[in-house]
Amino acid sequence: MSGHAPPDFVCLGESMVTFLPSRPGRLADVPSFARAIGGAESNVACALAAAGHRVRWVGRVGRDGFGHHLVETIGAHGVDVTAVGRDPHRPTGIYFRTADDRAADAHEVVYYRAGSAASAMSPATVPYDSVADGRVLHLTGITAALSADCLALMRELTAPRPGRPLVSFDVNHRPALWRDGTAPEVLLELARRADLVFVGADEAEELWGPREPDEIRRVLAEPAVVVVKRGGEGAVAFERCAASFPTPPLPEPGLRPGPRSSNAGRAEDAAATAPCSGPVPAPETRTPDTVTAVPAPLVDVLAPVGAGDAFAAGFLSATLRGLDMTARLRHGHLMAAAALTVPGDVAVPPRRAHADRLAALDAGAWGTLHLGPGWTGDDQEVRTP
């Protein structure tokens, strides 16, 4: 990856072409579909690029029309796609879904991803240097479920090693992908090896039993930061040491220095070393966590998909800007609201100044924030009654 400024973020995982229904209802009753893209890691990559960061997506697609479409579309969002592999023998994954909430009983998703090009990702097909030069490597549990080779890759990328990027891991449990029953142990293993973990309270309960945030933190004691998402109730962050992820603020999008600047984004320039993750100290010597809870704003939901990926992007962006934990969680909620108020999976974030103004509201004003479709535009009404 020489010749270019290193990325702030590298996101690795499968992206697919998704077909969105033209109207609500059962897949059997939907007359037509619109083509879009979907994939947890590429969703995060696109949102981070739109927020002004240098981002690389690493994946694998078929040498087919759908693969070309994915790479072109993700690249058009400003994401570096030069490390994407093209497989001449395996197809690009696709899927169809209904328009309702993924958690709803009536929700349907039909995947055509078995044997996909992405399932052939492995330590042999993904060069380590394609993911190692970013400040943060973002992964999800979806990749580990795709194949034995993908799981081997995930274990290699999360293994402790000198100079490892900060590892962000979204548990992202998809039960349909884990038919062998190994999800609880595998996802726990990977999460415990990360520096930052995102997990929904509902999926933690399904995987490991506990639902309350403090109980989940006891299960995930190793990471420096654990963010427990509670849907419409908000999110709770546990931070082992307040100095985690020390980084200088990044400039406003469009004002980024060139690659020769001292703010070019290298981990060593930013002093972004692994923050307090690893073996848990004995209880008598352990520093208590800093615990921060932030409620979610009220959102008029247009399409209930992509919010988790967007939340991760907002939180990660604020983290690399050096913002405090309350601001990180608020930016996560704002990016999630951006995803919930558009029809596709990829959030279009507000301008940084607009998001910063909302994230800086006092607790009372934040508690009455009400966001609807179109709120990300500077001229749109944001209600704080």
Side-chain angles (χ1 to χ4, degrees), residues 242-301:
S244 64
F245 299 92
T247 57
L250 295 179
E252 181 73 16
L255 303 178
R256 183 180 304 286
R260 296 185 180 274
S261 166
S262 61
N263 192 14
R266 280 194 174 277
E268 57 267 32
D269 294 339
T273 54
C276 313
S277 302
V280 182
E284 62 272 14
T285 62
R286 190 180 309 164
T287 302
D289 280 334
T290 300
V291 182
T292 308
V294 172
L298 180 62
V299 178
D300 296 332
V301 176

Side-chain angles (χ1 to χ4, degrees), residues 51-138:
H53 298 284
R54 286 188 296 269
V55 188
R56 179 185 303 142
W57 172 57
V58 178
R60 194 168 179 84
V61 301
R63 194 171 291 169
D64 51 34
F66 287 143
H68 299 326
H69 173 68
L70 272 177
V71 173
E72 291 171 2
T73 303
I74 294 170
H77 280 81
V79 176
D80 173 8
V81 294
T82 57
V84 176
R86 312 271 188 145
D87 193 315
H89 306 297
R90 298 175 179 85
T92 303
I94 65 172
Y95 72 99
F96 296 77
R97 66 170 173 82
T98 50
D100 46 15
D101 192 333
R102 182 179 283 128
D105 291 339
H107 185 68
E108 295 176 77
V109 182
V110 178
Y111 291 103
Y112 297 91
R113 72 194 311 178
S116 70
S119 70
M121 289 190 295
S122 71
T125 61
V126 178
Y128 185 71
D129 63 3
S130 69
V131 302
D133 61 340
R135 295 164 73 177
V136 175
L137 171 60
H138 181 70

Side-chain angles (χ1 to χ4, degrees), residues 297-300 307 310 332-342 347 371-372 375-376:
L298 180 62
V299 178
D300 296 332
H333 287 315
L334 291 170
M335 191 75 87
L340 290 169
T341 51
V342 296
L371 305 171
W375 75 269
T376 56

Side-chain angles (χ1 to χ4, degrees), residues 16-20 34-38 70 93-97 345:
M16 295 178 288
V17 172
T18 178
F19 290 90
L20 307 177
R35 185 183 64 176
I37 65 169
L70 272 177
I94 65 172
Y95 72 99
F96 296 77
R97 66 170 173 82
D345 288 11

Side-chain angles (χ1 to χ4, degrees), residues 313-380:
F315 185 96
L316 289 168
S317 175
T319 296
L320 246 63
R321 292 176 59 203
L323 304 186
D324 64 31
M325 188 58 74
T326 296
R328 297 180 207 180
L329 291 169
R330 286 186 173 188
H331 277 278
H333 287 315
L334 291 170
M335 191 75 87
L340 290 169
T341 51
V342 296
D345 288 11
V346 179
V348 179
R351 286 187 55 81
R352 181 176 290 180
H354 185 31
D356 283 347
R357 179 178 64 82
L358 295 178
L361 292 172
D362 62 40
W366 177 265
T368 59
L369 192 60
H370 188 173
L371 305 171
W375 75 269
T376 56
D378 292 335
D379 59 343
Q380 298 296 320

